[in-house]
């Protein structure tokens, strides 16, 4: 637990009123998400993997960092979307590839592979019809098996991946934030880095969230828990923060002033999480 680099920090909501410069740790700099000509670019590719869990081949995307070397081993971040999204949501609206290219150009992130799966583990995994219905919502739970038993083994067979729990991260927005909390804290032998950006009510509560507290305490490197103060789902984040504090699980707790449940906020959080993960 001492290895945790970030302990629980309570960030003042008044920070937005401070002179500029003093919220640099909360708000990404202008242009962080805009392509810069001349910056080396990573590569985004779509791929299919066989899923025993769902019984079909499933679509996902992968981002390889600039100057990717297939003979070198990389840590892997699994980056998860929200209830209305799919394996393209982050790419189309959050441009993680641009954010990462820019971070690499200024040497601010560890070289890593980012996998962008579809977290709705069912045969028709398109975000259509009643996305809040029982069946599609349950599919976000089913994805735990798809991730651990199908996707991760596929990635580790097809790419050179650094071994060990300290080289695997899971992060996501909203439903994907809830999945990251549930899967990360539920499988501390598999994930040492967790990012939850405005986690949704699918986030488990109480001991169901923290089923292996001792393993979590020894393996966890970073739990980055965050929400915008104007987000209607903020109670999920504050509730998890209180519970984790009570249980002695160190975490970075960020409440962003004047931020909502949207990609402006999620992109900002990816910018900060990406600079901490695997360091
Ligand atoms: C809910 C409210 C919001 C819920 C999920 C969400 C499963 C997800 C929002 C998102 O992913 O943006 O009650 O229940």
């Amino acid at each position: 637990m001492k290895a945790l680099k970030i302990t629980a920090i309570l960030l003042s909501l008044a920070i937005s009123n401070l002179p500029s410069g003093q919220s640099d740790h909360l708000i990404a700099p202008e242009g962080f998400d805009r392509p810069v000509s001349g910056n080396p670019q990573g590569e985004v590719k779509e791929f299919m993997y066989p899923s025993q869990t769902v019984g079909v081949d499933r679509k996902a995307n992968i981002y390889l960092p600039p100057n990717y070397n297939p003979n070198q081993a990389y840590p892997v971040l699994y980056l998860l979307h929200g209830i209305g999204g799919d394996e393209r949501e982050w790419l189309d609206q959050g441009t993680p590839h641009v954010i990462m290219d820019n971070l690499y150009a200024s040497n601010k992130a560890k070289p890593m592979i980012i996998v962008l799966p579809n977290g709705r583990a069912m045969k028709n995994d398109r975000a259509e019809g009643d996305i809040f219905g029982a069946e599609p919502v349950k599919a976000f739970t089913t994805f735990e098996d798809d991730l651990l038993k199908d996707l991760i083994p596929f990635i580790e067979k097809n790419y050179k991946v650094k071994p060990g729990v300290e080289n695997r991260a899971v992060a996501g927005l909203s439903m994907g934030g809830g999945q990251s909390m549930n899967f990360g804290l539920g499988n501390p032998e598999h994930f040492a880095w967790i990012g939850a950006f405005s986690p949704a009510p699918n986030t488990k509560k109480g001991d169901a969230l923290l089923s292996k507290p001792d393993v979590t305490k020894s393996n966890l490197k970073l739990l980055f828990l965050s929400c915008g103060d104007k987000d209607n789902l903020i109670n999920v984040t504050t509730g998890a923060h209180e519970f984790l504090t009570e249980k002695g699980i160190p975490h970075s707790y960020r409440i962003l002033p004047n931020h909502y449940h949207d990609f402006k906020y999620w992109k900002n959080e990816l910018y900060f999480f990406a600079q901490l993960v695997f360091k």
Side-chain angles (χ1 to χ4, degrees):
M1 191 140 61
K2 287 204 190 88
L4 277 162
K5 290 180 186 154
I6 308 278
T7 49
I9 320 160
L10 196 60
L11 297 165
S12 163
L13 296 180
I15 210 149
S16 60
N17 297 325
L18 295 172
S20 73
Q22 297 198 21
S23 63
D24 287 358
H25 60 297
L26 279 184
I27 308 296
E30 179 67 22
F32 79 103
D33 57 346
R34 270 202 305 272
V36 176
S37 70
N39 274 2
Q41 290 178 356
E43 186 187 3
V44 175
K45 290 191 287 196
E46 186 181 286
F47 66 95
M48 303 289 292
Y49 65 98
S51 169
Q52 294 272 341
T53 303
V54 182
V56 293
D57 287 355
R58 306 197 68 220
K59 204 182 277 179
N61 287 294
I62 191 163
Y63 165 85
L64 305 172
N67 309 311
Y68 173 75
N69 175 354
N71 300 315
Q72 191 184 314
Y74 291 84
V76 183
L77 163 62
Y78 293 84
L79 185 60
L80 312 180
H81 61 80
I83 199 159
D86 59 24
E87 71 286 345
R88 283 219 57 91
E89 185 186 43
W90 267 106
L91 293 168
D92 291 339
Q93 298 180 62
T95 61
H97 48 308
V98 177
I99 295 170
M100 296 308 295
D101 287 349
N102 289 345
L103 285 174
Y104 289 125
S106 45
N107 219 358
K108 284 185 172 157
K110 278 266 167 149
M112 69 185 90
I113 291 173
I114 301 183
V115 178
L116 302 127
N118 183 315
R120 189 184 297 97
M122 57 193 285
K123 286 201 169 74
N124 177 2
D125 59 10
R126 297 304 94 193
E128 53 193 26
D130 180 11
I131 55 170
F132 283 91
E135 199 193 350
V137 166
K138 185 167 170 278
F140 280 84
T141 304
T142 309
F143 182 65
E144 181 167 359
D145 271 352
D146 182 85
L147 175 63
L148 289 168
K149 297 178 183 164
D150 302 311
L151 179 56
I152 290 174
F154 178 88
I155 292 295
E156 300 192 349
K157 204 172 89 190
N158 288 281
Y159 292 87
K160 215 166 163 193
V161 167
K162 276 195 182 169
V165 56
E166 67 276 18
N167 290 303
R168 201 182 292 139
V170 63
L173 69 89
S174 202
M175 280 299 270
Q179 287 177 312
S180 299
M181 295 285 281
N182 297 343
F183 305 167
L185 292 172
N187 302 280
E189 65 279 36
H190 291 299
F191 300 99
W193 307 84
I194 304 169
F197 316 152
S198 60
N202 63 329
T203 308
K204 291 179 183 172
K205 292 193 178 66
D207 293 334
L209 179 62
L210 191 67
S211 51
K212 301 166 189 165
D214 295 340
V215 188
T216 293
K217 282 179 184 173
S218 58
N219 285 4
L220 189 65
K221 299 275 191 201
L222 172 68
L223 170 48
F224 180 106
L225 174 61
S226 148
C227 197
D229 69 337
K230 300 279 200 287
D231 191 318
N232 291 329
L233 302 182
I234 192 169
N235 287 348
V236 177
T237 296
T238 54
H241 164 63
E242 281 161 23
F243 171 73
L244 294 166
T245 304
E246 182 193 305
K247 293 290 176 182
I249 304 296
H251 54 286
S252 163
Y253 177 55
R254 293 164 56 91
I255 298 297
L256 256 76
N258 287 309
H259 280 70
Y260 294 83
H261 199 75
D262 58 24
F263 265 101
K264 175 171 184 267
Y265 158 75
W266 293 319
K267 288 164 86 171
N268 190 81
E269 294 314 273
L270 178 63
Y271 173 83
F272 286 99
F273 179 75
Q275 294 178 67
L276 299 171
V277 69
F278 305 128
K279 285 192 173 166

